Amino acid sequence: MKILKIDHIGIAVKNLAESTRLYEMLGIQSTGSEVVDEQKVKVSFFPVGDSEIELLESTSPEGPIARYIEKNGEGIQHLALRVDNIEVALEELKAKGIRLIDEKPRYGAGGAKIAFVHPKSTGGILLELSQRQG
Ligand code: ZN
């Protein structure tokens, strides 16, 4: 398994349009927004150098981002690392006794294959592994 780079930092926000304006004031342009039904979120990506900032707004009061904001308020919710092969990475982490939220990858924004690692195994950080096609 090979970690290629910090793919993105996921930030939970209450209002995507409002937060988008804030980041655009900083001079960072969004590449557009997308709804990921499976995770009950609407997301926007803001490329920054070789990585991105991902803003996430919940589309349902029961979604993971709504629950996160209820508990912690708005802020950094996860850190995503890009891997070369997500299936291999998950096998390897599992073999090392690291607790996974997703044993198998699912599809995230932009068609990326993603899987989450449990914060209990990573010092409190919700870690997302991400593999992009091409
Ligand atoms: Zn993410």
Side-chain angles (χ1 to χ4, degrees), residues 7-11 39 43 45 54 56 77-80 109 114 116 128 130 132:
D7 190 80
H8 64 269
I9 294 168
I11 300 175
Q39 292 173 70
V43 304
F45 282 94
E54 175 186 35
L56 305 107
Q77 195 254 350
H78 66 269
L79 171 65
I114 64 165
F116 286 96
E128 173 186 337
S130 165
R132 306 247 182 180

Side-chain angles (χ1 to χ4, degrees), residues 1-104:
M1 139 182 158
K2 199 171 174 212
I3 306 280
L4 303 173
K5 65 175 192 169
I6 293 178
D7 190 80
H8 64 269
I9 294 168
I11 300 175
V13 302
K14 285 181 182 164
N15 184 317
L16 189 58
E18 221 169 80
S19 296
T20 294
R21 274 194 296 279
L22 171 70
Y23 281 86
E24 287 183 346
M25 270 196 303
L26 299 174
I28 312 171
Q29 297 302 318
S30 163
T31 53
S33 62
E34 177 185 344
V35 171
V36 183
D37 279 323
E38 201 196 8
Q39 292 173 70
K40 300 187 172 73
V41 286
K42 188 174 176 191
V43 304
S44 270
F45 282 94
F46 297 77
V48 181
D50 202 29
S51 299
E52 292 182 280
I53 291 169
E54 175 186 35
L55 300 184
L56 305 107
E57 179 196 292
S58 191
T59 56
S60 151
E62 273 84 57
I65 291 302
R67 279 188 272 125
Y68 178 88
I69 290 176
E70 212 177 286
K71 207 170 152 195
N72 307 289
E74 293 179 289
I76 295 180
Q77 195 254 350
H78 66 269
L79 171 65
L81 299 176
R82 183 164 320 177
V83 295
D84 58 345
N85 184 322
I86 196 163
E87 283 88 0
V88 168
L90 289 172
E91 281 304 312
E92 234 179 280
L93 294 179
K94 208 174 151 187
K96 287 174 182 168
I98 291 176
R99 201 165 142 194
L100 304 173
I101 293 174
D102 302 304
E103 303 237 328
K104 288 204 168 89

Side-chain angles (χ1 to χ4, degrees), residues 114-132:
I114 64 165
F116 286 96
V117 179
H118 202 285
K120 286 232 160 83
S121 283
T122 54
I125 305 290
L126 177 60
L127 210 59
E128 173 186 337
L129 304 178
S130 165
Q131 181 190 350
R132 306 247 182 180

